Amino acid sequence: MYKYLREEIKNLKAYRVNEMEYKVKLDANEGIDWMDGLNRYPLDRSDELREKLAKNLHKRAQELLLGNGSSELIELMMKAYLEAGETVVSISPTFSMYRIFTIIHKGRYEEYPLDGMERIDVDRFIEFVDEKNAKLVVLCNPNNPTGSLIPKEDILRIISSVDAMVVLDEAYIEFSDYPSGDDTGEFKNLVVLRTFSKGMALAGIRLGYMIGHEEIIGYINRVRSPYNVNVLTQSVGIKALEGEGTTKKNIEMIKSERCRMKNELEKMGFKPLDSQANFLFFPGEMGLGNSLAEKGILIRSFGGELEGFYRLTIGTPLENDAVLKAIEEVQNERSKLK
Ligand code: PMP
């Protein structure tokens, strides 16, 4: 929304790249082709990929903006909306990059604690956003690292009640039971961020997208670097959209493995939270992460306030079995030492 935009950006025009048909192209200081046409810059706004994606999402291409991972898109929101000293509100614990990007962009970061890490108290959260006079509210749904999902009715109430831009980071949405579709057409203070890194299992290509009202997408284009999505990524992205069947099958497999792993961990005495993402979050003995790493098994350990908590990504059945076996070994080794 225009009202929330940084003052400098209000007067800025988006950089426009000339993408006309040509016989001879000598307008962009490109070199001579020696490797598969890669002397050319990519399409600045990833038009072909953007249009295909828009069709899949039942959106118009003007309502989408692609980025070098959704990480870039989080940062672009701050570039467009956050003046120095202004506040970004999120919940805690959540994805740590929100804080880091806020600090880089000279903002203040305020977190609303998720007591017990269960359902958020929406009225109190809205009050918190007001009290802190937030310019941006970033919500990760399902949340990383807890895996919990804010119900759609709560999300809608937050968006319609706060006087701020809302960034809804749906990086893990494909693993959840959240109703499909989005509400970006309805709200002018909302953008939804998605990624090819998780559900589509293509973290290596670095591709994310923003869904938002056409007007907002126009503003974000003012702060985006030209050609931010490279040629290789655009072409793999287009191909990936054709592999929808495989993606769906993988997601179903992860969801069923998530259920199995939760049961197995519970049998071993752990208490993982209910998760709607492709990971489980649970408290465990100090040093569990290191003991597993010594066996070549990597899970995520946390420090600070989350010391003693672990996040395990759901892998293939074979990988998951290897994790269970290693945890059992660690438990046996420790019980012998006691
Ligand atoms: N949002 C969340 C919640 C994440 O967990 C991650 C990756 N860990 C990202 C965004 C960034 O994803 P990417 O840049 O790969 O799209």
Side-chain angles (χ1 to χ4, degrees):
M1 206 195 276
Y2 186 74
K3 161 179 162 192
Y4 300 120
L5 209 56
R6 269 180 50 201
E7 284 306 316
E8 290 91 336
I9 310 302
K10 284 182 177 166
N11 300 317
L12 199 65
K13 271 210 173 94
Y15 179 83
R16 269 284 181 184
V17 175
N18 191 1
E19 286 171 345
M20 282 158 58
E21 301 260 312
Y22 60 87
K23 287 193 187 118
V24 174
K25 180 164 165 55
L26 293 173
D27 64 342
N29 300 345
E30 295 157 327
I32 294 162
D33 180 19
W34 68 282
M35 199 187 267
D36 304 325
L38 289 176
N39 58 320
R40 298 289 180 215
Y41 280 105
L43 287 171
D44 174 50
R45 297 182 182 199
S46 310
D47 281 346
E48 187 183 349
L49 172 58
R50 195 156 53 94
E51 274 154 26
K52 290 210 155 91
L53 192 57
K55 207 164 152 219
N56 284 4
L57 296 166
H58 308 291
K59 289 274 157 190
R60 290 174 307 129
Q62 304 92 289
E63 296 171 294
L64 295 187
L65 184 140
L66 278 71
N68 183 28
S70 56
S71 309
E72 184 192 16
L73 303 173
I74 301 167
E75 197 166 13
L76 290 184
M77 283 302 288
M78 298 193 181
K79 279 191 180 164
Y81 286 99
L82 197 66
E83 306 271 7
E86 286 185 334
T87 301
V88 175
V89 162
S90 191
I91 55 174
S92 169
T94 194
F95 184 40
S96 52
M97 288 309 296
Y98 305 149
R99 174 197 290 279
I100 294 171
F101 284 140
T102 301
I103 291 168
I104 293 170
H105 289 280
K106 303 185 178 200
R108 287 166 188 272
Y109 188 77
E110 297 278 355
E111 47 196 21
Y112 178 87
L114 264 188
D115 289 329
M117 297 176 195
E118 299 297 336
R119 191 167 171 172
I120 186 172
D121 181 331
V122 179
D123 290 320
R124 283 192 42 209
F125 180 73
I126 292 168
E127 266 172 39
F128 184 84
V129 172
D130 277 351
E131 271 166 31
K132 300 294 178 191
N133 197 19
K135 187 71 159 304
L136 281 175
V137 175
V138 187
L139 289 173
C140 184
N141 206 35
N143 189 37
N144 179 8
T146 57
S148 52
L149 185 77
I150 308 172
K152 185 153 186 165
E153 72 221 58
D154 290 357
I155 292 281
L156 293 182
R157 204 140 67 78
I158 292 168
I159 303 165
S160 51
S161 310
V162 297
D163 185 12
M165 285 299 292
V166 178
V167 180
L168 195 54
D169 182 347
E170 295 188 341
Y172 299 95
I173 202 78
E174 292 100 325
F175 303 104
S176 77
D177 303 322
Y178 198 77
S180 65
D182 70 90
D183 302 287
T184 48
E186 211 177 311
F187 295 104
K188 276 200 178 177
N189 64 330
L190 167 68
V191 296
V192 169
L193 306 185
R194 304 241 179 98
T195 178
F196 279 51
S197 298
K198 313 292 178 183
M200 295 186 77
L202 288 171
I205 67 170
R206 313 301 302 121
L207 182 60
Y209 57 99
M210 176 185 293
I211 315 173
H213 191 283
E214 180 178 349
E215 186 186 315
I216 303 176
I217 298 297
Y219 299 144
I220 304 304
N221 267 319
R222 298 181 186 185
V223 297
R224 179 180 60 81
S225 284
Y227 315 113
N228 62 326
V229 180
N230 72 70
V231 171
L232 305 177
T233 298
Q234 289 190 31
S235 78
V236 177
I238 290 166
K239 212 165 148 206
L241 292 179
E242 291 157 13
E244 211 183 1
T246 310
T247 299
K248 276 202 176 128
K249 239 175 43 204
N250 284 344
I251 291 169
E252 285 314 309
M253 191 267 280
I254 300 283
K255 283 165 86 172
S256 103
E257 281 294 285
R258 177 178 72 199
C259 183
R260 179 175 80 94
M261 289 299 280
K262 182 160 187 277
N263 286 333
E264 293 297 329
L265 288 172
E266 281 169 351
K267 279 189 219 157
M268 296 169 121
F270 295 99
K271 290 195 171 74
L273 298 189
D274 278 333
S275 171
Q276 295 262 318
N278 67 337
F279 50 79
L280 290 168
F281 184 67
F282 56 93
E285 279 189 48
M286 288 298 171
L288 173 65
N290 286 339
S291 305
L292 289 173
E294 281 166 16
K295 297 175 183 297
I297 305 282
L298 303 185
I299 72 169
R300 175 68 194 269
S301 309
F302 291 87
E305 283 173 13
L306 292 182
E307 178 95 48
F309 280 83
Y310 299 95
R311 191 193 64 201
L312 166 66
T313 306
I314 306 299
T316 62
L318 271 178
E319 289 171 325
N320 298 334
D321 285 342
V323 173
L324 293 172
K325 184 165 162 276
I327 294 178
E328 205 176 336
E329 282 170 18
V330 170
Q331 283 185 331
N332 288 339
E333 286 158 17
R334 290 192 175 196
S335 68
K336 273 187 208 143
L337 290 176
K338 276 180 190 160

